[in-house]
Amino acid sequence: MSNKMDFSKFKKSTMSVWGGEGDLNVSGAVTTPIVNSVAFAYNDVEKWHQVSLGKEEGFIYSRNTNPTVAALEEKIRLLEGAEAATSFATGMAAISNTLYTFLTAGKRVVSQKDNYGGTSKIFLDFLPLNGVQVTLCDTTDFDAFEAEIAKGCDMVYLETPTNPTLKVVDIKRLAAAAKKVGAIVVADNTFATPINQNPLALGADLVLHSATKFLCGHSDAMGGVLAGKKELVQKVYNYREINGASLQADPAYMIARGMKTLELRIERQNASALKIAQYLKTHPKVQDVFYPGLPTHPGHEIAKAQMSGFGGIMSFALVGGYDHVAKLLTSLQLVHLAASLGSVSTLAGPPRTTSHVELTEAQRKQLGIPESLIRYSVGIENVDDLIQDLENALAQI
Ligand SMILES: *Cc1c(COP(=O)(O)O)cnc(C)c1O
């Protein structure tokens, strides 16, 4: 098979496996190999020129793209139902390159208070230095959000569900408000994955991911991806190829390999997370559980409308203080106490040492993140084993 074949007519699990594969036709290889070549040679100088001008298909230099990287880009393009896709060295490179491409001096961006820590850092510390006006709204106050958008802006930047309190943002409603003022809408879809949510179908112009998380799925490679309208993706690609945060062939291979099992993993993680959230909700030592799949979650109705599954991540607060957090975490056996999320193994940690470590305590407080919160990213282990592990650890406190 070649990726010239139209895989967009198939279902997501088929796209994940077949999309972008086999185009190289290396002795009939059944998976796209790792092409660790910096440059690509031509016998025909005129063809070389045409490819380098982008007028013919081909590869020139691996800072632009590379055959292994292109296979991964094609998978995400298909899964997000996009016209085009490109990739980056990390998720933060996808985010920063996208923001800096469109937000030059004098532009205005409207976003939410709850964003990934690194993204918040760009909004709070870096973009204002470049003369960009940044307005961060209360994440779930959509009336206030709409009012800020209506004042006029160049970009609306969304992330849902949010990290770490799993707030749900109404993409359709805010994208419609953005359209009225001609702003482009960018959505970070890392937590949901393209299996559970497709922001482009809800009105976003661009969707991005930290591919380091669920797309890779095994905590062994870093990357970022961006998909959406061709003209917009092209602009970010042109910015990135010069600024240089390109994805290399080795991690691209690992991520593309992980993506072949994406739907299997996500279905398992959706089901396990719901069961664990329901269990924690009834535990007397747990004060609060944040998971959009629980009917008591304030964003549940919107999540039901815009997501086909509620994802593998939750957070919960314990009765008692931070001492209890440390005790619980070190009593768990089937958990890596580590930053990151979306892996085959369960990962947990407090946001103050993981996703929001870049921020000061005051900045976290301003964003409404309790210092005593635990984020729990459910792996693909047996769910009864995970619940027993939580039960044992909770008994220790
Ligand atoms: C991890 C993460 C990022 C950053 O991705 P890296 O690959 O670590 O650079 C961005 N957004 C969200 C929601 C994340 O979880």
Side-chain angles (χ1 to χ4, degrees):
M1 289 307 120
S2 129
N3 73 359
K4 300 288 177 293
M5 191 172 144
D6 178 18
F7 289 106
S8 62
K9 66 184 181 208
F10 295 107
K11 300 283 193 294
K12 284 176 178 174
S13 52
T14 308
M15 291 173 171
S16 289
V17 175
W18 285 99
E21 298 286 335
D23 199 31
L24 292 171
N25 201 15
V26 181
S27 304
V30 295
T31 187
T32 302
I34 304 172
V35 181
N36 276 330
S37 182
V38 166
F40 299 89
Y42 290 83
N43 295 324
D44 179 338
V45 174
E46 184 47 31
K47 172 152 175 150
W48 182 14
H49 188 223
Q50 291 304 310
V51 173
S52 63
L53 291 174
K55 291 184 177 162
E56 272 189 56
E57 275 187 44
F59 299 96
I60 296 287
Y61 190 61
S62 282
R63 175 154 40 74
N64 308 344
T65 190
N66 163 293
T68 315
V69 171
L72 162 66
E73 292 170 342
E74 177 62 6
K75 285 189 201 299
I76 197 70
R77 187 191 74 75
L78 287 163
L79 288 169
E80 289 289 10
E83 287 172 11
T86 189
S87 61
F88 307 83
T90 63
M92 279 316 302
I95 293 166
S96 60
N97 282 266
T98 301
L99 294 176
Y100 292 126
T101 296
F102 298 106
L103 298 174
T104 50
K107 303 275 186 186
R108 178 167 186 255
V109 55
V110 176
S111 187
Q112 57 199 56
K113 284 189 181 169
D114 299 74
N115 274 312
Y116 178 73
T119 311
S120 293
K121 187 91 179 164
I122 295 180
F123 283 138
L124 294 169
D125 292 356
F126 298 159
L127 283 173
L129 290 179
N130 294 355
V132 175
Q133 203 192 327
V134 178
T135 303
L136 301 182
C137 302
D138 276 338
T139 304
T140 54
D141 185 348
F142 306 130
D143 291 336
F145 225 128
E146 277 180 339
E148 283 299 338
I149 294 169
K151 289 179 189 166
C153 58
D154 302 283
M155 180 189 286
V156 172
Y157 185 95
L158 309 174
E159 179 184 321
T160 182
T162 67
N163 192 351
T165 49
L166 283 298
K167 289 177 187 158
V168 177
V169 180
D170 192 335
I171 299 175
K172 206 172 189 173
R173 179 169 167 185
L174 298 179
K179 290 276 128 72
K180 284 189 200 151
V181 297
I184 63 168
V185 179
V186 182
D188 182 335
N189 204 27
T190 302
F191 266 40
T193 80
I195 302 302
N196 287 331
Q197 179 172 274
N198 287 124
L200 300 179
L202 298 162
D205 301 294
L206 291 169
V207 55
L208 53 81
H209 291 265
S210 167
T212 313
K213 312 293 172 54
F214 288 102
L215 298 183
C216 174
H218 296 70
S219 295
D220 53 7
M222 299 194 83
V225 289
L226 174 78
K229 296 218 169 95
K230 192 169 186 161
E231 178 204 338
L232 300 177
V233 171
Q234 184 70 32
K235 280 190 183 157
V236 184
Y237 164 79
N238 290 141
Y239 184 94
R240 189 269 289 151
E241 71 173 326
I242 300 307
N243 284 280
S246 310
L247 184 64
Q248 298 303 294
D250 285 294
Y253 179 85
M254 306 285 270
I255 296 164
R257 180 181 163 131
M259 283 177 74
K260 292 176 190 176
T261 56
L262 184 64
E263 190 180 65
L264 291 174
R265 288 185 283 111
I266 298 303
E267 282 175 351
R268 172 66 159 255
Q269 287 164 320
N270 285 343
S272 296
L274 182 60
K275 204 166 166 186
I276 291 168
Q278 285 164 342
Y279 159 77
L280 288 172
K281 185 82 185 160
T282 60
H283 200 288
K285 289 180 184 169
V286 175
Q287 188 163 45
D288 218 342
V289 182
F290 303 91
Y291 185 65
L294 294 175
T296 49
H297 186 281
H300 180 65
E301 289 307 317
I302 299 166
K304 243 172 41 182
Q306 72 186 13
M307 302 177 80
S308 55
F310 301 110
I313 304 162
M314 71 191 70
S315 58
F316 56 96
L318 295 174
V319 174
Y322 188 71
D323 285 354
H324 283 180
V325 169
K327 181 76 188 153
L328 180 93
L329 287 175
T330 51
S331 302
L332 288 165
Q333 290 185 314
L334 293 177
V335 152
H336 290 300
L337 303 185
S340 201
L341 52 94
S343 184
V344 289
S345 48
T346 298
L347 296 157
R352 77 168 189 170
T353 53
T354 58
S355 60
H356 289 69
V357 69
E358 294 93 344
L359 303 191
T360 62
E361 185 162 344
Q363 282 174 325
R364 280 192 297 271
K365 193 166 180 192
Q366 199 195 336
L367 296 174
I369 298 164
E371 294 294 295
S372 60
L373 197 71
I374 296 171
R375 189 183 66 196
Y376 191 84
S377 171
V378 182
I380 61 168
E381 301 93 338
N382 179 285
V383 66
D384 297 328
D385 286 342
L386 294 177
I387 289 175
Q388 189 60 52
D389 192 33
L390 284 161
E391 176 87 13
N392 296 346
L394 282 162
Q396 299 295 312
I397 58 174

